[in-house]
Amino acid sequence: MTGIVQRKSDHIDIVLNEDVSMSTPTGFGGYRFVHQALPEIAFDDVTTDTEFLGHALGAPLLISSMTGGNEEAGKINRNLAEAAAQLRIPMAVGSQRVLIERPDALESFRAAREAASGVPLFGNIGAVQLNKGVTADDIQRTIDLLGADGIFLHLNPLQEIVQAGGDTDFSGLLDKIELLVDRLDCPVLIKEVGCGVDPALAARLAEVGVAAVDVSGAGGTSWASIEARRATDEGQRRLGEVFSDWGIPTVECLTGARAAAPELPLIASGGVKTGLDVAKAVTLGADLAGFAMPLLKPASISAEAVVEHLEQILYELRAAMFLTGADSLASLKANRHRLLP
Ligand SMILES: Cc1cc2nc3c(=O)[nH]c(=O)nc-3n(C[C@H](O)[C@H](O)[C@H](O)COP(=O)(O)O)c2cc1C
């Protein structure tokens, strides 16, 4: 395996076999819904249908970026994509940088496109690559190769400084993101990887025309912990441990970004675990809630295991809606006063 494929494979092994969750709370636990003893709706009438960037969806969920590159990654992507298609929800693949260096890695990404027929599929690449010679044409090519409906650019400054040989020049990137938004013929979405996007950045990203922001805040997967486990340099290992809980909690990112950029489509991810979390995220202004780590284990087993996991989340989401008297996501948002800090 080449360096980049090996690194991706290490990430999967570490997340599957070790505890790399942050101890920082997401903030969802700080809110509770006001129970409606008389909801005045039928549970069977509760629907989670929604819309995101012009796509009709069965639920406000996103299968967040995880992997691609080798056969194992191809299997995981296919299982995730089959589940996305069954539940009519969007999916994002993991970083496609490997494709620029290794065109033979394409199969592991195409597996997702084939299986995710009829639902939006998003590509992914690190924004920092724009400072490493990767051009708008290169990115357009990765989008076309995947047949993607949009591309996530990830921001991961903490991960890059803990990683051996990481790409750490994040200067001038906002201007480059703005140019990219103009050049590409599909939506550009921005995401963090678990340390969060602060409200001022969300507002600036909305101004430069990005289609959506996934705040990917603190409270879930800790990339500093993952990279600390891979580090061979003692200083980087220590750095990863010291910063393992670093970041802005997901709910703080979400409420701040919603206030700073009222019209910007927002995704809440980073430690989202249950359908009750999803209900709170939607009520607090998220268009979708994203899941990465919780889906990795089921995805390493089968598409059915992923569907089963997500169906439980939908059951919990519909329960929260029923118990707050909301038969639609619009009505859940309109009942904002029923979610108390
Ligand atoms: C195994 C694994 C691989 C990931 N790979 C990527 C990636 O290639 N690109 C990216 O933008 N985010 C990547 N992420 C980050 C997730 O998309 C997400 O932002 C983050 O893990 C927080 O969500 P979670 O707490 O539900 O895991 C990865 C996460 C996991 C668990």
Side-chain angles (χ1 to χ4, degrees), residues 8 65-66 94-95 124 154 191 193 216 220-221 223 270-271 292-294:
K8 290 296 188 187
S65 298
M66 276 195 279
S95 175
N124 183 293
H154 64 256
K191 74 187 287 289
V193 299
S216 199
T221 304
W223 277 93
M293 180 160 56

Side-chain angles (χ1 to χ4, degrees), residues 264-319:
L264 179 67
L266 285 177
I267 302 164
S269 77
V272 180
K273 293 277 190 288
T274 67
L276 181 53
D277 292 342
V278 176
K280 290 176 183 176
V282 169
T283 309
L284 293 170
D287 295 273
L288 303 180
F291 292 78
M293 180 160 56
L295 299 180
L296 185 59
K297 189 149 200 205
S300 69
I301 301 169
S302 65
E304 293 68 38
V306 181
V307 170
E308 203 176 301
H309 188 95
L310 288 171
E311 276 182 339
Q312 177 63 30
I313 283 162
L314 288 177
Y315 192 20
E316 295 158 5
L317 168 61
R318 292 178 64 245

